[in-house]
mmCIF file of all heavy atoms in Angstrom:
data_model
loop_
_atom_site.group_PDB
_atom_site.id
_atom_site.type_symbol
_atom_site.label_atom_id
_atom_site.label_comp_id
_atom_site.label_asym_id
_atom_site.label_seq_id
_atom_site.Cartn_x
_atom_site.Cartn_y
_atom_site.Cartn_z
ATOM 1 N N TYR A 684 94.657 4.553 -35.197
ATOM 2 C CA TYR A 684 93.841 5.691 -34.814
ATOM 3 C C TYR A 684 93.459 6.556 -36.012
ATOM 4 O O TYR A 684 92.305 6.892 -36.217
ATOM 5 C CB TYR A 684 94.570 6.545 -33.773
ATOM 6 C CG TYR A 684 93.848 7.853 -33.502
ATOM 7 C CD1 TYR A 684 92.618 7.851 -32.856
ATOM 8 C CD2 TYR A 684 94.366 9.064 -33.921
ATOM 9 C CE1 TYR A 684 91.922 9.018 -32.630
ATOM 10 C CE2 TYR A 684 93.683 10.248 -33.697
ATOM 11 C CZ TYR A 684 92.460 10.222 -33.056
ATOM 12 O OH TYR A 684 91.780 11.383 -32.835
ATOM 13 N N ARG A 685 94.443 6.925 -36.789
ATOM 14 C CA ARG A 685 94.185 7.829 -37.906
ATOM 15 C C ARG A 685 94.694 7.221 -39.201
ATOM 16 O O ARG A 685 95.833 6.776 -39.283
ATOM 17 C CB ARG A 685 94.874 9.174 -37.681
ATOM 18 C CG ARG A 685 94.685 10.184 -38.813
ATOM 19 C CD ARG A 685 95.445 11.463 -38.536
ATOM 20 N NE ARG A 685 95.325 12.467 -39.583
ATOM 21 C CZ ARG A 685 96.109 12.530 -40.650
ATOM 22 N NH1 ARG A 685 97.067 11.646 -40.828
ATOM 23 N NH2 ARG A 685 95.948 13.487 -41.540
ATOM 24 N N MET A 686 93.821 7.202 -40.195
ATOM 25 C CA MET A 686 94.215 6.788 -41.535
ATOM 26 C C MET A 686 93.828 7.899 -42.493
ATOM 27 O O MET A 686 92.844 8.613 -42.261
ATOM 28 C CB MET A 686 93.547 5.479 -41.934
ATOM 29 C CG MET A 686 93.956 4.298 -41.056
ATOM 30 S SD MET A 686 93.388 2.721 -41.716
ATOM 31 C CE MET A 686 94.519 2.490 -43.096
ATOM 32 N N ALA A 687 94.608 8.036 -43.552
ATOM 33 C CA ALA A 687 94.375 9.160 -44.444
ATOM 34 C C ALA A 687 94.825 8.845 -45.861
ATOM 35 O O ALA A 687 95.583 7.894 -46.094
ATOM 36 C CB ALA A 687 95.133 10.388 -43.931
ATOM 37 N N TRP A 688 94.331 9.643 -46.776
ATOM 38 C CA TRP A 688 94.777 9.633 -48.164
ATOM 39 C C TRP A 688 95.478 10.963 -48.441
ATOM 40 O O TRP A 688 94.924 12.024 -48.134
ATOM 41 C CB TRP A 688 93.616 9.462 -49.126
ATOM 42 C CG TRP A 688 93.018 8.098 -49.118
ATOM 43 C CD1 TRP A 688 91.919 7.677 -48.434
ATOM 44 C CD2 TRP A 688 93.495 6.962 -49.849
ATOM 45 N NE1 TRP A 688 91.687 6.347 -48.683
ATOM 46 C CE2 TRP A 688 92.632 5.890 -49.548
ATOM 47 C CE3 TRP A 688 94.559 6.746 -50.716
ATOM 48 C CZ2 TRP A 688 92.811 4.609 -50.092
ATOM 49 C CZ3 TRP A 688 94.735 5.480 -51.254
ATOM 50 C CH2 TRP A 688 93.861 4.427 -50.945
ATOM 51 N N TYR A 689 96.665 10.868 -49.016
ATOM 52 C CA TYR A 689 97.405 12.026 -49.481
ATOM 53 C C TYR A 689 97.592 11.874 -50.988
ATOM 54 O O TYR A 689 97.481 10.772 -51.523
ATOM 55 C CB TYR A 689 98.794 12.104 -48.825
ATOM 56 C CG TYR A 689 98.782 12.504 -47.373
ATOM 57 C CD1 TYR A 689 98.414 11.605 -46.378
ATOM 58 C CD2 TYR A 689 99.160 13.787 -46.988
ATOM 59 C CE1 TYR A 689 98.423 11.972 -45.039
ATOM 60 C CE2 TYR A 689 99.172 14.175 -45.650
ATOM 61 C CZ TYR A 689 98.800 13.251 -44.686
ATOM 62 O OH TYR A 689 98.809 13.621 -43.360
ATOM 63 N N ARG A 690 97.896 12.975 -51.640
ATOM 64 C CA ARG A 690 98.219 12.898 -53.062
ATOM 65 C C ARG A 690 99.358 13.859 -53.386
ATOM 66 O O ARG A 690 99.558 14.857 -52.694
ATOM 67 C CB ARG A 690 96.999 13.205 -53.927
ATOM 68 C CG ARG A 690 96.498 14.640 -53.858
ATOM 69 C CD ARG A 690 95.200 14.778 -54.647
ATOM 70 N NE ARG A 690 94.696 16.145 -54.612
ATOM 71 C CZ ARG A 690 93.504 16.501 -55.102
ATOM 72 N NH1 ARG A 690 92.704 15.597 -55.665
ATOM 73 N NH2 ARG A 690 93.128 17.770 -55.038
ATOM 74 N N GLN A 691 100.085 13.486 -54.427
ATOM 75 C CA GLN A 691 101.188 14.330 -54.888
ATOM 76 C C GLN A 691 101.177 14.389 -56.401
ATOM 77 O O GLN A 691 101.330 13.355 -57.070
ATOM 78 C CB GLN A 691 102.531 13.796 -54.385
ATOM 79 C CG GLN A 691 103.682 14.727 -54.702
ATOM 80 C CD GLN A 691 104.929 14.410 -53.903
ATOM 81 O OE1 GLN A 691 105.100 13.294 -53.395
ATOM 82 N NE2 GLN A 691 105.817 15.379 -53.768
ATOM 83 N N ALA A 692 100.968 15.590 -56.907
ATOM 84 C CA ALA A 692 100.994 15.816 -58.348
ATOM 85 C C ALA A 692 102.418 16.194 -58.753
ATOM 86 O O ALA A 692 103.195 16.672 -57.924
ATOM 87 C CB ALA A 692 100.017 16.925 -58.714
ATOM 88 N N PRO A 693 102.762 15.995 -60.025
ATOM 89 C CA PRO A 693 104.122 16.328 -60.483
ATOM 90 C C PRO A 693 104.467 17.780 -60.185
ATOM 91 O O PRO A 693 103.687 18.689 -60.487
ATOM 92 C CB PRO A 693 104.048 16.072 -61.988
ATOM 93 C CG PRO A 693 102.968 15.064 -62.149
ATOM 94 C CD PRO A 693 101.956 15.393 -61.093
ATOM 95 N N GLY A 694 105.624 17.982 -59.565
ATOM 96 C CA GLY A 694 106.091 19.336 -59.277
ATOM 97 C C GLY A 694 105.406 20.002 -58.094
ATOM 98 O O GLY A 694 105.653 21.180 -57.822
ATOM 99 N N LYS A 695 104.552 19.264 -57.388
ATOM 100 C CA LYS A 695 103.836 19.855 -56.255
ATOM 101 C C LYS A 695 104.131 19.077 -54.980
ATOM 102 O O LYS A 695 104.582 17.930 -55.014
ATOM 103 C CB LYS A 695 102.333 19.860 -56.519
ATOM 104 C CG LYS A 695 101.908 20.765 -57.661
ATOM 105 C CD LYS A 695 100.411 20.885 -57.722
ATOM 106 C CE LYS A 695 99.983 21.848 -58.810
ATOM 107 N NZ LYS A 695 98.500 21.987 -58.872
ATOM 108 N N GLN A 696 103.860 19.729 -53.850
ATOM 109 C CA GLN A 696 104.042 19.055 -52.572
ATOM 110 C C GLN A 696 102.910 18.072 -52.311
ATOM 111 O O GLN A 696 101.804 18.223 -52.830
ATOM 112 C CB GLN A 696 104.078 20.099 -51.448
ATOM 113 C CG GLN A 696 105.349 20.935 -51.424
ATOM 114 C CD GLN A 696 105.439 21.798 -50.187
ATOM 115 O OE1 GLN A 696 104.424 22.221 -49.637
ATOM 116 N NE2 GLN A 696 106.650 22.070 -49.743
ATOM 117 N N ARG A 697 103.220 17.082 -51.485
ATOM 118 C CA ARG A 697 102.184 16.138 -51.085
ATOM 119 C C ARG A 697 101.140 16.875 -50.260
ATOM 120 O O ARG A 697 101.480 17.687 -49.396
ATOM 121 C CB ARG A 697 102.808 15.001 -50.272
ATOM 122 C CG ARG A 697 101.868 13.886 -49.919
ATOM 123 C CD ARG A 697 102.593 12.739 -49.239
ATOM 124 N NE ARG A 697 103.505 12.067 -50.155
ATOM 125 C CZ ARG A 697 104.161 10.951 -49.847
ATOM 126 N NH1 ARG A 697 104.022 10.397 -48.656
ATOM 127 N NH2 ARG A 697 104.968 10.391 -50.724
ATOM 128 N N GLU A 698 99.871 16.590 -50.525
ATOM 129 C CA GLU A 698 98.804 17.257 -49.792
ATOM 130 C C GLU A 698 97.823 16.246 -49.220
ATOM 131 O O GLU A 698 97.597 15.176 -49.801
ATOM 132 C CB GLU A 698 98.047 18.247 -50.699
ATOM 133 C CG GLU A 698 97.304 17.619 -51.856
ATOM 134 C CD GLU A 698 96.410 18.602 -52.593
ATOM 135 O OE1 GLU A 698 96.115 19.688 -52.066
ATOM 136 O OE2 GLU A 698 95.988 18.255 -53.719
ATOM 137 N N LEU A 699 97.252 16.606 -48.087
ATOM 138 C CA LEU A 699 96.245 15.768 -47.448
ATOM 139 C C LEU A 699 94.926 15.896 -48.202
ATOM 140 O O LEU A 699 94.444 17.004 -48.439
ATOM 141 C CB LEU A 699 96.062 16.197 -45.992
ATOM 142 C CG LEU A 699 94.948 15.515 -45.198
ATOM 143 C CD1 LEU A 699 95.196 14.013 -45.088
ATOM 144 C CD2 LEU A 699 94.816 16.144 -43.810
ATOM 145 N N VAL A 700 94.344 14.774 -48.565
ATOM 146 C CA VAL A 700 93.074 14.752 -49.285
ATOM 147 C C VAL A 700 91.921 14.500 -48.320
ATOM 148 O O VAL A 700 90.928 15.232 -48.322
ATOM 149 C CB VAL A 700 93.087 13.658 -50.371
ATOM 150 C CG1 VAL A 700 91.733 13.555 -51.047
ATOM 151 C CG2 VAL A 700 94.184 13.915 -51.387
ATOM 152 N N ALA A 701 92.045 13.456 -47.512
ATOM 153 C CA ALA A 701 90.986 13.101 -46.571
ATOM 154 C C ALA A 701 91.572 12.231 -45.469
ATOM 155 O O ALA A 701 92.555 11.522 -45.694
ATOM 156 C CB ALA A 701 89.862 12.346 -47.279
ATOM 157 N N SER A 702 90.959 12.299 -44.287
ATOM 158 C CA SER A 702 91.419 11.459 -43.187
ATOM 159 C C SER A 702 90.229 10.937 -42.401
ATOM 160 O O SER A 702 89.123 11.499 -42.458
ATOM 161 C CB SER A 702 92.372 12.228 -42.267
ATOM 162 O OG SER A 702 91.694 13.265 -41.596
ATOM 163 N N SER A 703 90.504 9.878 -41.658
ATOM 164 C CA SER A 703 89.457 9.219 -40.878
ATOM 165 C C SER A 703 90.072 8.711 -39.585
ATOM 166 O O SER A 703 91.157 8.127 -39.608
ATOM 167 C CB SER A 703 88.891 8.044 -41.685
ATOM 168 O OG SER A 703 88.154 7.174 -40.854
ATOM 169 N N THR A 704 89.400 8.920 -38.467
ATOM 170 C CA THR A 704 89.882 8.383 -37.200
ATOM 171 C C THR A 704 89.066 7.158 -36.807
ATOM 172 O O THR A 704 87.945 6.954 -37.296
ATOM 173 C CB THR A 704 89.799 9.414 -36.067
ATOM 174 O OG1 THR A 704 88.419 9.643 -35.757
ATOM 175 C CG2 THR A 704 90.478 10.714 -36.456
ATOM 176 N N SER A 705 89.629 6.386 -35.900
ATOM 177 C CA SER A 705 88.922 5.181 -35.443
ATOM 178 C C SER A 705 87.650 5.544 -34.689
ATOM 179 O O SER A 705 86.750 4.714 -34.556
ATOM 180 C CB SER A 705 89.843 4.338 -34.559
ATOM 181 O OG SER A 705 90.330 5.104 -33.474
ATOM 182 N N GLY A 706 87.571 6.797 -34.241
ATOM 183 C CA GLY A 706 86.370 7.260 -33.558
ATOM 184 C C GLY A 706 85.277 7.714 -34.497
ATOM 185 O O GLY A 706 84.170 8.050 -34.059
ATOM 186 N N GLY A 707 85.593 7.752 -35.797
ATOM 187 C CA GLY A 707 84.568 8.103 -36.781
ATOM 188 C C GLY A 707 84.650 9.511 -37.335
ATOM 189 O O GLY A 707 83.856 9.885 -38.203
ATOM 190 N N SER A 708 85.594 10.309 -36.871
ATOM 191 C CA SER A 708 85.735 11.661 -37.403
ATOM 192 C C SER A 708 86.395 11.628 -38.777
ATOM 193 O O SER A 708 87.279 10.804 -39.021
ATOM 194 C CB SER A 708 86.601 12.509 -36.460
ATOM 195 O OG SER A 708 85.991 12.616 -35.197
ATOM 196 N N THR A 709 85.951 12.514 -39.640
ATOM 197 C CA THR A 709 86.533 12.599 -40.979
ATOM 198 C C THR A 709 86.900 14.044 -41.291
ATOM 199 O O THR A 709 86.348 14.990 -40.707
ATOM 200 C CB THR A 709 85.572 12.085 -42.066
ATOM 201 O OG1 THR A 709 84.356 12.828 -41.995
ATOM 202 C CG2 THR A 709 85.268 10.607 -41.879
ATOM 203 N N TYR A 710 87.835 14.165 -42.223
ATOM 204 C CA TYR A 710 88.271 15.481 -42.705
ATOM 205 C C TYR A 710 88.430 15.392 -44.206
ATOM 206 O O TYR A 710 88.881 14.367 -44.730
ATOM 207 C CB TYR A 710 89.612 15.869 -42.065
ATOM 208 C CG TYR A 710 90.308 16.997 -42.806
ATOM 209 C CD1 TYR A 710 90.005 18.316 -42.523
ATOM 210 C CD2 TYR A 710 91.222 16.717 -43.818
ATOM 211 C CE1 TYR A 710 90.622 19.349 -43.224
ATOM 212 C CE2 TYR A 710 91.839 17.737 -44.522
ATOM 213 C CZ TYR A 710 91.528 19.048 -44.213
ATOM 214 O OH TYR A 710 92.129 20.066 -44.908
ATOM 215 N N TYR A 711 88.056 16.467 -44.895
ATOM 216 C CA TYR A 711 88.248 16.544 -46.345
ATOM 217 C C TYR A 711 88.877 17.880 -46.699
ATOM 218 O O TYR A 711 88.497 18.923 -46.154
ATOM 219 C CB TYR A 711 86.920 16.409 -47.079
ATOM 220 C CG TYR A 711 86.264 15.062 -46.912
ATOM 221 C CD1 TYR A 711 85.305 14.846 -45.927
ATOM 222 C CD2 TYR A 711 86.613 13.993 -47.745
ATOM 223 C CE1 TYR A 711 84.714 13.605 -45.764
ATOM 224 C CE2 TYR A 711 86.014 12.752 -47.587
ATOM 225 C CZ TYR A 711 85.067 12.563 -46.597
ATOM 226 O OH TYR A 711 84.486 11.331 -46.438
ATOM 227 N N ALA A 712 89.804 17.847 -47.634
ATOM 228 C CA ALA A 712 90.322 19.085 -48.186
ATOM 229 C C ALA A 712 89.193 19.794 -48.924
ATOM 230 O O ALA A 712 88.302 19.140 -49.492
ATOM 231 C CB ALA A 712 91.471 18.795 -49.145
ATOM 232 N N ASP A 713 89.226 21.106 -48.923
ATOM 233 C CA ASP A 713 88.163 21.868 -49.584
ATOM 234 C C ASP A 713 88.017 21.483 -51.051
ATOM 235 O O ASP A 713 86.915 21.486 -51.591
ATOM 236 C CB ASP A 713 88.465 23.368 -49.477
ATOM 237 C CG ASP A 713 88.231 23.915 -48.075
ATOM 238 O OD1 ASP A 713 87.551 23.233 -47.271
ATOM 239 O OD2 ASP A 713 88.736 25.008 -47.777
ATOM 240 N N SER A 714 89.134 21.158 -51.675
ATOM 241 C CA SER A 714 89.119 20.862 -53.110
ATOM 242 C C SER A 714 88.367 19.578 -53.457
ATOM 243 O O SER A 714 88.003 19.377 -54.624
ATOM 244 C CB SER A 714 90.551 20.773 -53.641
ATOM 245 O OG SER A 714 91.272 19.779 -52.944
ATOM 246 N N VAL A 715 88.136 18.712 -52.462
ATOM 247 C CA VAL A 715 87.468 17.434 -52.754
ATOM 248 C C VAL A 715 86.145 17.280 -52.015
ATOM 249 O O VAL A 715 85.429 16.299 -52.224
ATOM 250 C CB VAL A 715 88.380 16.234 -52.436
ATOM 251 C CG1 VAL A 715 89.716 16.380 -53.142
ATOM 252 C CG2 VAL A 715 88.570 16.051 -50.938
ATOM 253 N N LYS A 716 85.806 18.231 -51.175
ATOM 254 C CA LYS A 716 84.579 18.143 -50.393
ATOM 255 C C LYS A 716 83.373 18.000 -51.301
ATOM 256 O O LYS A 716 83.232 18.733 -52.293
ATOM 257 C CB LYS A 716 84.434 19.401 -49.522
ATOM 258 C CG LYS A 716 84.352 19.154 -48.048
ATOM 259 C CD LYS A 716 84.349 20.465 -47.286
ATOM 260 C CE LYS A 716 85.492 20.538 -46.319
ATOM 261 N NZ LYS A 716 85.496 21.748 -45.507
ATOM 262 N N GLY A 717 82.511 17.065 -50.963
ATOM 263 C CA GLY A 717 81.316 16.836 -51.761
ATOM 264 C C GLY A 717 81.530 15.902 -52.939
ATOM 265 O O GLY A 717 80.567 15.464 -53.576
ATOM 266 N N ARG A 718 82.787 15.593 -53.246
ATOM 267 C CA ARG A 718 83.084 14.696 -54.376
ATOM 268 C C ARG A 718 83.728 13.386 -53.916
ATOM 269 O O ARG A 718 83.509 12.340 -54.518
ATOM 270 C CB ARG A 718 84.023 15.386 -55.367
ATOM 271 C CG ARG A 718 83.475 16.657 -55.955
ATOM 272 C CD ARG A 718 84.377 17.183 -57.067
ATOM 273 N NE ARG A 718 85.708 17.538 -56.608
ATOM 274 C CZ ARG A 718 86.835 17.020 -57.106
ATOM 275 N NH1 ARG A 718 86.793 16.126 -58.078
ATOM 276 N NH2 ARG A 718 88.014 17.416 -56.626
ATOM 277 N N PHE A 719 84.539 13.450 -52.863
ATOM 278 C CA PHE A 719 85.264 12.273 -52.370
ATOM 279 C C PHE A 719 84.668 11.824 -51.037
ATOM 280 O O PHE A 719 84.220 12.640 -50.240
ATOM 281 C CB PHE A 719 86.742 12.585 -52.161
ATOM 282 C CG PHE A 719 87.550 12.825 -53.405
ATOM 283 C CD1 PHE A 719 86.951 12.959 -54.652
ATOM 284 C CD2 PHE A 719 88.928 12.908 -53.338
ATOM 285 C CE1 PHE A 719 87.695 13.183 -55.797
ATOM 286 C CE2 PHE A 719 89.699 13.132 -54.465
ATOM 287 C CZ PHE A 719 89.064 13.268 -55.702
ATOM 288 N N THR A 720 84.717 10.516 -50.801
ATOM 289 C CA THR A 720 84.260 9.953 -49.529
ATOM 290 C C THR A 720 85.274 8.939 -49.024
ATOM 291 O O THR A 720 85.623 7.995 -49.755
ATOM 292 C CB THR A 720 82.887 9.278 -49.678
ATOM 293 O OG1 THR A 720 81.940 10.216 -50.194
ATOM 294 C CG2 THR A 720 82.391 8.768 -48.327
ATOM 295 N N ILE A 721 85.728 9.139 -47.797
ATOM 296 C CA ILE A 721 86.654 8.201 -47.174
ATOM 297 C C ILE A 721 85.854 7.259 -46.277
ATOM 298 O O ILE A 721 84.886 7.676 -45.628
ATOM 299 C CB ILE A 721 87.745 8.948 -46.363
ATOM 300 C CG1 ILE A 721 88.843 7.996 -45.911
ATOM 301 C CG2 ILE A 721 87.144 9.700 -45.184
ATOM 302 C CD1 ILE A 721 90.056 8.706 -45.299
ATOM 303 N N SER A 722 86.257 5.993 -46.266
ATOM 304 C CA SER A 722 85.545 5.036 -45.421
ATOM 305 C C SER A 722 86.495 3.910 -45.023
ATOM 306 O O SER A 722 87.549 3.733 -45.626
ATOM 307 C CB SER A 722 84.327 4.464 -46.143
ATOM 308 O OG SER A 722 84.716 3.752 -47.304
ATOM 309 N N ARG A 723 86.090 3.189 -43.993
ATOM 310 C CA ARG A 723 86.868 2.043 -43.523
ATOM 311 C C ARG A 723 85.968 0.824 -43.441
ATOM 312 O O ARG A 723 84.799 0.942 -43.060
ATOM 313 C CB ARG A 723 87.408 2.278 -42.109
ATOM 314 C CG ARG A 723 88.318 3.444 -41.886
ATOM 315 C CD ARG A 723 88.872 3.307 -40.485
ATOM 316 N NE ARG A 723 89.642 4.447 -40.045
ATOM 317 C CZ ARG A 723 90.555 4.379 -39.080
ATOM 318 N NH1 ARG A 723 90.789 3.246 -38.469
ATOM 319 N NH2 ARG A 723 91.213 5.451 -38.720
ATOM 320 N N ASP A 724 86.516 -0.339 -43.752
ATOM 321 C CA ASP A 724 85.850 -1.611 -43.532
ATOM 322 C C ASP A 724 86.739 -2.395 -42.574
ATOM 323 O O ASP A 724 87.729 -3.012 -42.999
ATOM 324 C CB ASP A 724 85.650 -2.356 -44.851
ATOM 325 C CG ASP A 724 84.831 -3.631 -44.692
ATOM 326 O OD1 ASP A 724 84.841 -4.212 -43.573
ATOM 327 O OD2 ASP A 724 84.206 -4.058 -45.667
ATOM 328 N N ASN A 725 86.402 -2.350 -41.301
ATOM 329 C CA ASN A 725 87.251 -3.006 -40.301
ATOM 330 C C ASN A 725 87.321 -4.519 -40.510
ATOM 331 O O ASN A 725 88.351 -5.138 -40.229
ATOM 332 C CB ASN A 725 86.748 -2.701 -38.893
ATOM 333 C CG ASN A 725 86.998 -1.259 -38.487
ATOM 334 O OD1 ASN A 725 87.793 -0.559 -39.113
ATOM 335 N ND2 ASN A 725 86.301 -0.807 -37.464
ATOM 336 N N ALA A 726 86.258 -5.110 -41.008
ATOM 337 C CA ALA A 726 86.253 -6.565 -41.215
ATOM 338 C C ALA A 726 87.257 -6.984 -42.278
ATOM 339 O O ALA A 726 87.825 -8.073 -42.225
ATOM 340 C CB ALA A 726 84.855 -7.031 -41.591
ATOM 341 N N LYS A 727 87.478 -6.101 -43.254
ATOM 342 C CA LYS A 727 88.415 -6.390 -44.338
ATOM 343 C C LYS A 727 89.762 -5.711 -44.131
ATOM 344 O O LYS A 727 90.657 -5.846 -44.974
ATOM 345 C CB LYS A 727 87.828 -5.953 -45.680
ATOM 346 C CG LYS A 727 86.583 -6.720 -46.074
ATOM 347 C CD LYS A 727 86.079 -6.281 -47.445
ATOM 348 C CE LYS A 727 84.850 -7.094 -47.859
ATOM 349 N NZ LYS A 727 84.326 -6.670 -49.180
ATOM 350 N N ASN A 728 89.899 -4.971 -43.039
ATOM 351 C CA ASN A 728 91.141 -4.216 -42.778
ATOM 352 C C ASN A 728 91.530 -3.361 -43.983
ATOM 353 O O ASN A 728 92.708 -3.328 -44.385
ATOM 354 C CB ASN A 728 92.281 -5.170 -42.393
ATOM 355 C CG ASN A 728 92.037 -5.808 -41.053
ATOM 356 O OD1 ASN A 728 91.528 -5.171 -40.125
ATOM 357 N ND2 ASN A 728 92.355 -7.086 -40.933
ATOM 358 N N THR A 729 90.554 -2.694 -44.529
ATOM 359 C CA THR A 729 90.758 -1.912 -45.743
ATOM 360 C C THR A 729 90.106 -0.542 -45.607
ATOM 361 O O THR A 729 88.998 -0.426 -45.062
ATOM 362 C CB THR A 729 90.177 -2.642 -46.960
ATOM 363 O OG1 THR A 729 90.813 -3.917 -47.099
ATOM 364 C CG2 THR A 729 90.402 -1.841 -48.238
ATOM 365 N N MET A 730 90.813 0.463 -46.103
ATOM 366 C CA MET A 730 90.281 1.820 -46.177
ATOM 367 C C MET A 730 90.022 2.141 -47.646
ATOM 368 O O MET A 730 90.740 1.647 -48.519
ATOM 369 C CB MET A 730 91.285 2.822 -45.596
ATOM 370 C CG MET A 730 90.831 4.265 -45.688
ATOM 371 S SD MET A 730 92.005 5.420 -44.972
ATOM 372 C CE MET A 730 93.383 5.295 -46.110
#
């Protein structure tokens, strides 16, 4: 249902970068909006 990318920098907590649902909804952290794009290829089972 939901797949996402998180990141963790040294000395910092893990943070959500972007997420995608099987229904097509996406979310982006403000810090990456307009620069990062999340996508899925169901045929390749790859995000």
Side-chain angles (χ1 to χ4, degrees):
Y684 171 68
R685 179 182 179 273
M686 297 190 74
W688 289 97
Y689 287 76
R690 67 186 180 187
Q691 187 165 21
K695 294 189 177 181
Q696 288 189 330
R697 186 174 293 187
E698 64 171 344
L699 174 62
V700 175
S702 67
S703 164
T704 69
S705 56
S708 298
T709 57
Y710 163 86
Y711 295 95
D713 286 344
S714 58
V715 307
K716 239 174 238 183
R718 300 188 297 123
F719 291 10
T720 303
I721 190 171
S722 62
R723 300 189 187 203
D724 186 334
N725 289 344
K727 296 182 178 179
N728 292 322
T729 301
M730 178 179 68

